Amino acid sequence: MSLGSVGRMDSVMSAAPPRLSPAEAVEIGATTFGVTARAARDLGSERDRTFFLLGHGGDPLAVLKVSNSSEDPAVLDMEAAGALHVTAVDPELRVALPWRPASTGDAGPARPEDDPAQLRAEWWDGEVAHWVRLYDVLPGSSRISALELSDAALVAWGETTARLSQGLRGFTHPRAQRTMLWDVQNALSARGMLDDIRDPHARAVVARVLDEFERRATPVWRRLRAQVAHTDLTVDNTLTDESGFITGIVDFGDMSHTAVITDLASVLDSLGDGREGAELFRMARLVLDGYQRRVQLEDIELEVLGVAWAARSAITIAISSWRVAHGLEEQEFAERYNAQCLCTLETTVAAGWDEVARHLGAERPRRPDASLAARRAVAFGPAIDPLFYDEPIEVSSAEGVWITDAAGRTYLDAYNNVPCVGHAHPRVTAAIARQSRRINTHTRYLHPTAIELAERLAATCPPELDTVLLVNSGSEANDLAWRMATAVTGRRGGLCTAFAYHGITEATAALSPEGWLDGRRPEHVETWEAPDAYRRRHLDATAFAAAVVRLRERGLAPAAAILDGLITSDGIADLDPRHVQELVRLTRQAGGLWIADEVQSGHARTGEALWSFDRFGVVPDFVTLGKPMANGHPVAAVITRREIVSELVGHATFFSTFGGNPVSAAAALAVLDVIEDERVLERVQRTGRALRIALAEVAAGHPEIGDVRGVGLAWGVEFVTDPVTREPDGPRARQARDRMRHLGVLVGTTGRHGNVLKIRPPLALDETHVPTLSRTLEVALTQTR
């Protein structure tokens, strides 16, 4: 093939290097830049000529670079401007800076305000003109052995690569839009060089990699983050200290506007020298660790980085072979990295491209795995709670109120209250990622997030509730509240509704009749039946008073009573404030304390207030928070009175290693911000009204629905065998639930008989989703009649 037949490549790639002797280099340094050198040493270069100008002691004074005749002066100006820009952005990141020529009257290192066009001079070789530039000498040595780099040095290389990317992020130049073969985005141009690769095996591997680049990277390349990049960041273009850490970056001659990952591909290609198999990928992961200390890579970048890295290695083989074939470089020098590049290509091809992406941190492509349920059963053991639905869902991702399974099907999530403000809310995920990159520790160190969270939570409560203790889960919060109640009152009797759920610790499981599968009631606990307005039963406090009496008959006095403000596990109800007020009065009259379990009913679930207890006009002794507090990130809280906590001083202390850690606290603060900014309370009210009307309309045509009840975005649809006898019909409810799942809407079941559909969606659900939910319920009932 001819020199000009390789795509639309920049002509500088095919021009011969300048003819220049060391003596001439010394003369240029003296006459053009005012540097008096004793000698010059050729440093070698792909298309230019580069020399060390040496002083009388043999130490380098400066670096002289003479460009080939095809070099566009505007490109040289871009190089100078780019280096000056990096220095202005990150002065600690050393890059080679040009000097002002003597002709300016002020020879010496360039300043940020200098005109790049004044930082070059012309030198004539007979009738051929060349541009010459002088650069300062950076500390360190060149052309290190990549294989000898320590793990710490590899991480540092990654971080320096990211710093260079950040340094160039705001830099623009009209000549950055050019076609340079070393730029991975132009990898397919190397197909024109395949015939110059003498080894048939290497030629076939390079061709295969270029084909894979076209298949995987080319279709998405325009979606990658892009900017002006160095594009040839390698061991040849860096200086390092004795430990292999980069001390300087040189040669911006291949700069172009391209994908951010281009420099990473160059670095990985260069540092792979001497590595193969698992060690090659381990090296890459360490480099990426360093890079992502500064710049987080996006999912799509991680997916294509592996094939971009391989394409860079393929380009190295192709360009070097091409230059040798056309007499532009000596074979030994040009092809010095080809054997290692071929090894890299063979390693990546053998691993498979999906596996290469996974090695570099990309997620493994999700496909339905029929073995998961059986593996779960073996790994978790026989006591684990069963999976939902007649056909369990293998979830893959979620956003807002939509869950996507491993097969790519989406479902309207009308069940999960844990992602309070919506699955993967960007405010919350950003807060988690940002804080986790800074520090995550415990509350024995001072950090503002946990303190601010406690202050904000206390500010949402009546003034009596002024102290906040942070833990990790609703179970822990209820456990801690119970522990304090028993310590302060000196009693150990507990009261809860007859089918409540308050946690999985020993103390809270005792207060969770939903989990008493063997029917055995803990000796220190009594229950009362929750109000059943549908059947007009237990509407007063008689059942509660009787429970207190039963405790006393066993010689126990109540330490505390605990209530979920929506009695979710008992079947969901909109409780009468006067009823709750009477329960609180009777509890305190008996000497006990009141625990408001807001894990399911709080964080704006009712739409009337942030906390459900506010609807009842009571001030609890303890408020416990959990699941929705940080949109699913593990954090929980107990809000109580300082006087209660003070009574523990000298008897007990409180500390939770992860409770209130900065990451979880940041997530919880973001949730509070979203609730306020998105006016979630008002949205829940609007959506709740629409949902009540829609569910009532469905119920009107289906006698098996005995009752529709709830508040805000917590609704129960109760199924009965007969509208007259009102006997619970659990199988019918489960049938409807499972059919809705197959139709694309997720709900649950609750209540002692499992006969109540539980509709408790993320609070991102709005009026536009209600028709989908109600229509699906209607269809499910019709199809399963």
Side-chain angles (χ1 to χ4, degrees):
M1 56 163 285
S2 68
L3 286 174
S5 63
V6 186
R8 295 179 295 106
M9 125 184 118
D10 194 303
S11 61
V12 73
M13 290 292 293
S14 58
R19 295 175 301 171
L20 189 71
S21 69
E24 289 173 308
V26 170
E27 181 183 358
I28 294 171
T31 59
T32 306
F33 295 97
V35 175
T36 302
R38 180 186 62 82
R41 188 174 77 220
D42 193 342
L43 296 177
S45 180
E46 179 185 52
R47 58 184 184 267
D48 305 318
R49 295 294 300 279
T50 306
F51 294 88
F52 263 149
L53 299 183
L54 306 174
H56 290 287
D59 294 330
L61 302 175
V63 176
L64 181 73
K65 190 163 187 176
V66 183
S67 300
N68 74 49
S69 58
S70 294
E71 196 74 74
D72 182 348
V75 170
L76 303 182
D77 296 345
M78 176 180 68
E79 293 179 38
L84 290 170
H85 184 89
V86 170
T87 300
V89 172
D90 187 351
E92 299 301 314
L93 180 60
R94 296 293 303 276
V95 299
L97 295 175
W99 283 34
R100 294 184 301 279
S103 60
T104 63
D106 186 20
R111 294 182 290 258
E113 64 273 15
D114 284 340
D115 178 2
Q118 299 299 314
L119 301 177
R120 52 183 165 83
E122 206 168 29
W123 174 76
W124 289 82
D125 177 17
E127 296 182 355
V128 180
H130 298 274
W131 294 105
V132 295
R133 293 162 291 165
L134 195 73
Y135 287 90
D136 53 357
V137 176
L138 297 178
S141 60
S142 61
R143 292 180 183 168
I144 58 161
S145 169
L147 187 59
E148 295 177 1
L149 290 176
S150 67
D151 289 355
L154 291 172
V155 172
W157 268 73
E159 186 168 6
T160 301
T161 304
R163 287 176 63 187
L164 180 60
S165 177
Q166 290 175 317
L168 287 169
R169 182 179 293 167
F171 178 70
T172 61
H173 196 280
R175 288 298 283 116
Q177 300 290 345
R178 59 178 181 153
T179 302
M180 295 297 292
L181 290 182
W182 286 115
D183 181 353
V184 173
Q185 69 177 325
N186 302 312
L188 299 185
S189 295
R191 283 172 169 163
M193 303 175 178
L194 289 174
D195 289 343
D196 295 315
I197 302 175
R198 297 179 301 281
D199 178 6
H201 171 66
R203 186 188 316 126
V205 174
V206 168
R208 183 174 177 181
V209 168
L210 295 178
D211 289 345
E212 196 64 30
F213 182 88
E214 183 175 35
R215 189 175 77 85
R216 288 176 175 265
T218 301
V220 301
W221 197 264
R222 292 179 183 272
R223 293 165 51 195
L224 303 179
R225 291 178 297 177
Q227 62 176 66
V228 176
H230 187 287
T231 81
D232 196 24
L233 191 58
T234 66
V235 294
D236 286 342
N237 289 327
T238 54
L239 298 163
T240 61
D241 62 18
E242 293 180 354
S243 298
F245 290 70
I246 294 176
T247 56
I249 298 172
V250 302
D251 194 355
F252 284 69
D254 291 300
M255 288 173 66
S256 63
H257 189 275
T258 186
V260 168
I261 63 169
T262 299
D263 278 343
L264 263 178
S266 299
V267 168
L268 295 179
D269 171 45
S270 184
L271 298 187
D273 189 14
R275 305 174 195 269
E276 57 184 305
E279 177 58 23
L280 184 69
F281 295 119
R282 192 185 76 88
M283 173 278 295
R285 287 191 293 272
L286 292 175
V287 172
L288 293 181
D289 286 345
Y291 189 91
Q292 293 192 103
R293 286 180 177 180
R294 296 276 182 157
V295 177
Q296 287 294 303
L297 291 168
E298 296 178 353
D299 290 344
I300 191 172
E301 292 170 327
L302 290 169
E303 288 166 8
V304 302
L305 176 58
V307 74
W309 170 18
R312 169 69 190 210
S313 295
I315 291 171
T316 300
I317 295 173
I319 291 179
S320 61
S321 300
W322 172 74
R323 290 183 66 80
V324 169
H326 293 278
L328 298 173
E329 276 187 284
E330 294 294 328
Q331 180 178 339
E332 182 178 358
F333 179 79
E335 297 182 354
R336 62 195 183 281
Y337 296 126
N338 285 16
Q340 174 55 44
C341 287
L342 180 59
C343 181
T344 296
L345 297 184
E346 290 171 337
T347 299
T348 53
V349 169
W353 298 105
D354 286 341
E355 191 65 14
V356 169
R358 191 191 68 80
H359 276 305
L360 301 184
E363 286 190 292
R364 188 188 298 274
R366 287 294 302 276
R367 301 178 183 89
D369 185 349
S371 72
L372 277 185
R375 288 166 55 196
R376 176 186 188 267
V378 172
F380 295 167
I384 196 69
D385 228 25
L387 292 161
F388 286 161
Y389 311 116
D390 58 347
E391 185 179 326
I393 298 174
E394 183 184 341
V395 296
S396 177
S397 62
E399 183 177 355
V401 294
W402 299 96
I403 290 178
T404 302
D405 69 13
R409 184 182 181 185
T410 57
Y411 302 82
L412 177 65
D413 182 4
Y415 174 77
N416 286 289
N417 69 323
V418 176
C420 171
V421 293
H423 292 280
H425 193 289
R427 187 95 59 94
V428 182
T429 57
I432 292 170
R434 182 171 55 247
Q435 186 58 54
S436 66
R437 287 196 296 268
R438 291 175 179 166
I439 187 171
N440 199 28
T441 183
H442 52 74
T443 53
R444 283 183 173 140
Y445 296 104
L446 282 173
H447 193 276
T449 53
I451 298 169
E452 181 184 351
L453 175 60
E455 291 169 341
R456 288 184 63 177
L457 289 174
T460 66
C461 293
E464 298 94 325
L465 298 172
D466 57 3
T467 301
V468 178
L469 301 172
L470 297 170
V471 289
N472 306 287
S473 69
S475 292
E476 287 185 53
N478 284 330
D479 187 282
L480 180 59
W482 174 256
R483 174 184 164 193
M484 288 192 285
T486 56
V488 169
T489 64
R491 303 171 175 193
R492 65 186 191 91
L495 295 159
C496 59
T497 55
F499 204 68
Y501 173 78
H502 296 290
I504 62 169
T505 67
E506 183 176 10
T508 57
L511 296 167
S512 301
E514 182 188 60
W516 299 348
L517 301 183
D518 57 5
R520 288 187 291 179
R521 178 197 310 273
E523 182 270 340
H524 67 288
V525 174
E526 268 298 341
T527 64
W528 80 93
E529 291 291 340
D532 184 352
Y534 173 50
R535 296 174 179 83
R536 306 299 300 169
R537 296 191 304 205
H538 314 301
L539 299 183
D540 60 22
T542 302
F544 183 87
V548 175
V549 170
R550 290 193 297 274
L551 275 179
R552 285 176 177 164
E553 289 174 348
R554 296 202 296 274
L556 295 166
I562 185 168
L563 179 70
D564 165 7
L566 291 167
I567 54 172
T568 315
S569 296
D570 292 270
I572 301 180
D574 182 6
L575 296 172
D576 185 331
R578 292 169 298 180
H579 177 75
V580 178
Q581 291 167 14
E582 181 62 8
L583 300 183
V584 175
R585 186 190 70 80
L586 290 172
T587 299
R588 289 175 174 158
Q589 179 180 288
L593 300 176
W594 186 261
I595 302 173
D597 183 343
E598 296 282 340
V599 173
Q600 297 197 68
S601 56
H603 280 89
R605 174 65 51 183
T606 67
E608 296 179 18
L610 194 61
W611 315 120
S612 67
F613 73 78
D614 275 338
R615 305 174 63 238
F616 307 138
V618 301
V619 179
D621 299 294
F622 303 97
V623 178
T624 57
L625 314 177
K627 292 182 179 73
M629 187 172 169
N631 223 45
H633 205 271
V635 65
V638 179
I639 310 173
T640 187
R641 303 196 306 272
R642 182 170 300 275
E643 63 202 62
I644 290 177
V645 177
S646 296
E647 292 193 35
L648 301 178
V649 176
H651 303 285
T653 187
F654 170 74
F655 173 70
S656 171
T657 300
F658 298 113
N661 70 78
V663 174
S664 294
L669 286 169
V671 167
L672 292 176
D673 289 340
V674 171
I675 289 174
E676 181 177 344
D677 290 346
E678 294 187 4
R679 297 176 178 171
V680 169
L681 283 169
E682 292 91 331
R683 183 170 69 213
V684 170
Q685 289 180 26
R686 294 193 309 271
T687 309
R689 286 193 295 267
L691 189 54
R692 181 185 67 244
I693 293 169
L695 292 174
E697 289 176 352
V698 174
H702 294 274
E704 65 266 42
I705 296 180
D707 191 29
V708 173
R709 56 182 178 266
V711 61
L713 282 180
W715 288 86
V717 179
E718 180 164 359
F719 285 77
V720 293
T721 58
D722 184 276
V724 177
T725 63
R726 301 187 177 184
E727 286 298 314
D729 192 347
R732 185 74 177 98
R734 291 188 289 274
Q735 190 181 45
R737 176 201 66 190
D738 290 344
R739 190 60 198 152
M740 290 182 72
R741 169 255 184 269
H742 290 286
L743 293 170
V745 174
L746 306 181
V747 297
T749 51
T750 189
R752 182 178 301 173
H753 304 285
N755 67 312
V756 180
L757 285 187
K758 179 164 57 175
I759 300 172
R760 186 198 53 184
L763 302 186
L765 192 90
D766 62 30
E767 302 99 312
T768 65
H769 303 115
V770 170
T772 299
L773 198 163
S774 60
R775 282 197 305 267
T776 302
L777 175 58
E778 174 73 45
V779 172
L781 294 175
T782 301
Q783 290 183 352
T784 56
R785 180 170 293 163

